[in-house]
Amino acid sequence: MTPLVHRALLYGGQDDILDVTVPFLRSGLESGEAILAVIPSVHIEALRDTFGDDAEAMTFIDAADWYEHPVRTVAAYNDFVHEAAPRRVRALAEPIWHGRSPVQTVEWQRYESVVNVAFTGFGAQVICLYDKVRLDSEIISAALRTHPEVADGGRPGSGAARSSDAFVDPAAFNAECDSSPLPPPAGAVESLPIAREDDLHELRAFVTERARRHRQADASLSNLLVAVTEIATNALRHGTPPVTLRVWAEDTDLVCEVADHGQWDRHALLGFLPPKSATAGGFGLWAARMLVDVAQVRSGGSGTVVRLHTAL
């Protein structure tokens, strides 16, 4: 199976980007590959100026319009790769890091790790851009742990990639993301026991009343109801009773938490990889992650907790 070429480019300025990415993209054009650049508009303009008419053969997307939700972004790349087939894909990417909460930052770091598994077998090549001047050191360190290859712009031979000694297997990185305990609820908690699937109608009514009390938009409420139903159904079918729903408002989010006394495989990348069908294992968690802003999973000796965050 052809592995994904997944490289982090640590750049200090636009010259670093052009020095590395122009020959990378030109090689892809000469090979007849599908070229995708999901990067900030300022870099798009620089590449268009550099490539001239050849830029018409590339697909450019402003990163601000693409990197809104990590699991949906995996799905969007998955669609592009399949639509481009049998052509291989060569891509530039620059995720948005500024303005993320600590919880969101972890999910985007996890996304960069999951990519290594999601796109193995397609022969794709990706360079992810990281601004080593403006980004926090923690984000740069995570880039070295989620990319098998790295290039450091501004140094002699910066176009040549090297293996990242800090790279961590995606399953292990995923488990690490879920290793810290979830913080206690920051708001007043209301609970509902769920004993059987007949209770799911009451669950949806319970969530709806509390969401409307906090003026949740109808569209996001509809998504939340589907997500929490999927998680509760999984807990009833595959978990260990008792199953409990807890709801509270926290900062600008409505939080729904489903807990049971069963244990999930912490190392499985459940809910992050696009399922082959609606009957495939992990589809319920994938659907839930697609529908809410953040889904956190913790599993241990006392059971499994799935916490869904939706912005109010």
Side-chain angles (χ1 to χ4, degrees):
M1 183 174 287
T2 308
L4 171 74
V5 175
H6 191 207
R7 182 181 309 156
L9 170 61
L10 312 182
Y11 71 87
Q14 199 166 84
D15 287 345
D16 292 350
I17 296 174
L18 296 177
D19 287 346
V20 174
T21 63
V22 169
F24 172 76
L25 296 180
R26 196 173 299 282
S27 177
L29 287 174
E30 293 170 354
S31 301
E33 299 174 31
I35 305 298
L36 174 64
V38 184
I39 53 180
S41 57
V42 63
H43 301 330
I44 291 176
E45 293 172 6
L47 285 173
R48 284 190 181 278
D49 289 343
T50 300
F51 279 92
D53 291 342
D54 288 341
E56 297 305 314
M58 306 178 188
T59 299
F60 293 97
I61 300 175
D62 192 326
D65 299 328
W66 185 269
Y67 289 103
E68 294 182 345
H69 185 287
V71 181
R72 293 174 202 155
T73 299
V74 172
Y77 274 122
N78 187 64
D79 289 344
F80 186 90
V81 167
H82 281 88
E83 290 168 5
R87 299 166 69 200
R88 295 187 175 188
V89 171
R90 190 171 292 224
L92 298 182
E94 186 165 7
I96 304 297
W97 296 102
H98 296 294
R100 304 292 193 197
S101 69
V103 169
Q104 291 170 334
T105 297
V106 168
E107 294 307 303
W108 281 107
Q109 290 170 343
R110 188 203 304 268
Y111 154 85
E112 284 280 51
S113 181
V114 168
V115 162
N116 293 293
V117 179
F119 299 105
T120 291
F122 295 98
Q125 299 187 52
V126 183
I127 292 180
C128 296
L129 309 181
Y130 281 80
D131 188 337
K132 62 183 179 182
V133 176
R134 292 184 173 87
L135 292 177
D136 292 341
S137 59
E138 291 82 1
I139 292 175
I140 298 298
S141 296
L144 301 180
R145 304 181 72 227
T146 56
H147 293 74
E149 297 183 2
V150 62
D152 199 344
R155 295 184 178 181
S158 60
R162 57 179 172 82
S163 296
S164 174
D165 295 334
F167 179 70
V168 176
D169 176 79
F173 189 88
N174 180 72
E176 183 181 316
C177 290
D178 294 335
S179 62
S180 59
L182 292 174
V189 177
E190 297 178 88
S191 301
L192 177 72
I194 309 165
R196 56 191 186 279
E197 292 193 30
D198 289 348
D199 292 339
L200 295 177
H201 176 77
E202 184 180 355
L203 172 146
R204 288 187 286 271
F206 186 87
V207 173
T208 297
E209 194 280 328
R210 282 138 190 88
R212 287 180 173 160
R213 185 193 305 164
H214 292 286
R215 297 188 176 90
Q216 181 121 44
D218 288 343
S220 60
L221 172 56
S222 296
N223 288 344
L224 175 60
L225 291 175
V226 175
V228 73
T229 300
E230 287 284 354
I231 298 303
T233 300
N234 277 350
L236 289 168
R237 293 179 180 177
H238 308 296
T240 302
V243 178
T244 304
L245 167 72
R246 301 202 300 169
V247 180
W248 67 93
E250 184 173 296
D251 297 326
T252 59
D253 290 353
L254 186 70
V255 183
C256 293
E257 179 183 276
V258 176
D260 72 86
H261 287 254
Q263 293 189 38
W264 295 21
D265 181 359
R266 289 174 54 193
H267 291 270
L269 295 173
L270 286 174
F272 292 103
L273 304 179
K276 294 181 180 180
S277 72
T279 60
F283 178 83
L285 184 54
W286 163 266
R289 289 191 190 279
M290 289 280 283
L291 291 168
V292 301
D293 294 322
V294 174
Q296 298 172 287
V297 180
R298 297 292 187 272
S299 188
S302 59
T304 296
V305 174
V306 181
R307 189 175 286 186
L308 307 176
H309 297 251
T310 303
L312 290 169

